[in-house]
Amino acid sequence: QVQLQESGPGLVKPSETLSLTCTVSGGSIRSYHWSWIRQPPGKGLEWIGYIYYSGSTSYNPSLKSRVTISEDTSKNQFSLKLSSVTAADTAVYYCARFSGSSSGYYYFDYWGQGILVTVSS
Amino acid sequence: DIQMTQSPSSLSASVGDRVTITCRASQSISRYLNWYQQKPGKAPKVLIYAASSLQSGVPSRFSGSGSGTDFTLTISTLQPEDFATYYCQQSYSNPRTFGQGTKLEIK
């Protein structure tokens, strides 16, 4: 059974960089797309981006200038960095696997439990 | 970006009811549409992928239909554990986008 676990600081100061790590167990990150998704308190879901095991990335254009997703295959982890944060970046951040069916339809099939990151001084 | 619009935004229903939630895409997305259920304090869980394929382990009372721009999620006989928020999500193109959610509450 694949499991994902987010880790990182729960409080980040405005203008600083938010850094989170997702540790994957029960499967290798050397395949699939590995994603970050966030959810502001009481609001909907926003896809941040993903990394493919080859190292290629795709980001939401609304965040692209501030986002970096990277991987560490030796630790079976992938990470998120979001720079120049403001209060609008306060959210629960989820990592998730973006998996494809045999017919090529992709969906988020495994999720971490989520980590609340608050941006405040 | 492809905009996903769900209706209604909230819905009150009773155990045993049949419920339908609608999702509309701002452009055709073929059948690249997924449905998720989210309970308070928990991560979303995929119910339906490719518009109508039931994810393994999901009860058969959940079903999905549609293609192009209009999609529906139907719960045939509501159970107490089904009261949650439901999201649609398109996998046709980047950025992957979600609907705003439909909160299903107990009447």
Side-chain angles (χ1 to χ4, degrees), chain A:
Chain A
Q1 178 78 348
V2 176
Q3 293 185 310
L4 293 82
Q5 177 70 58
E6 305 89 351
S7 59
L11 180 64
V12 181
K13 290 182 167 56
S15 79
E16 295 189 345
T17 296
L18 178 160
S19 296
L20 297 174
T21 296
C22 183
T23 301
V24 179
S25 58
S28 173
I29 67 167
R30 294 177 187 268
S31 58
Y32 301 103
H33 294 76
W34 300 93
S35 298
W36 289 97
I37 295 160
R38 70 179 183 178
Q39 185 172 37
K43 296 188 178 180
L45 299 159
E46 180 180 33
W47 176 74
I48 299 170
Y50 58 55
I51 187 166
Y52 191 50
Y53 78 96
S54 62
S56 63
T57 55
S58 182
Y59 301 135
N60 192 321
S62 67
L63 297 168
K64 187 174 183 178
S65 64
R66 299 193 292 131
V67 171
T68 302
I69 298 176
S70 59
E71 61 180 3
D72 185 338
T73 55
S74 67
K75 295 181 179 178
N76 224 36
Q77 295 175 335
F78 62 104
S79 299
L80 169 70
K81 290 189 185 300
L82 181 65
S83 64
S84 305
V85 297
T86 69
D89 295 309
T90 293
V92 174
Y93 286 76
Y94 295 101
C95 57
R97 190 178 82 171
F98 194 49
S99 179
S101 69
S102 58
S103 49
Y105 292 94
Y106 283 78
Y107 53 99
F108 300 103
D109 60 349
Y110 288 98
W111 297 65
Q113 65 186 24
I115 182 169
L116 174 62
V117 179
T118 301
V119 178
S120 175
S121 55

Side-chain angles (χ1 to χ4, degrees), chain A residues 39 47 58 94 106 108 112, chain B residues 34 36 38 43 87 91 94 96:
Chain A
Q39 185 172 37
W47 176 74
S58 182
Y94 295 101
Y106 283 78
F108 300 103
Chain B
N34 308 314
Y36 300 84
Q38 186 179 34
Y87 293 93
S91 286
N94 287 338
R96 313 296 172 166

Side-chain angles (χ1 to χ4, degrees), chain B residues 26-102:
Chain B
S26 60
Q27 66 182 73
S28 178
I29 57 171
S30 184
R31 295 178 61 81
Y32 292 88
L33 190 283
N34 308 314
W35 289 99
Y36 300 84
Q37 176 194 66
Q38 186 179 34
K39 296 183 178 179
K42 300 294 187 182
K45 166 189 169 184
V46 64
L47 302 174
I48 301 285
Y49 65 93
S52 62
S53 295
L54 192 68
Q55 174 71 341
S56 176
V58 173
S60 59
R61 63 181 180 273
F62 292 93
S63 64
S65 65
S67 65
T69 60
D70 295 318
F71 302 87
T72 59
L73 172 70
T74 299
I75 309 172
S76 60
T77 307
L78 268 178
Q79 298 301 303
E81 60 268 29
D82 299 337
F83 292 94
T85 299
Y86 293 85
Y87 293 93
C88 62
Q89 176 253 324
Q90 62 84 15
S91 286
Y92 183 79
S93 65
N94 287 338
R96 313 296 172 166
T97 46
F98 292 84
Q100 81 279 15
T102 295

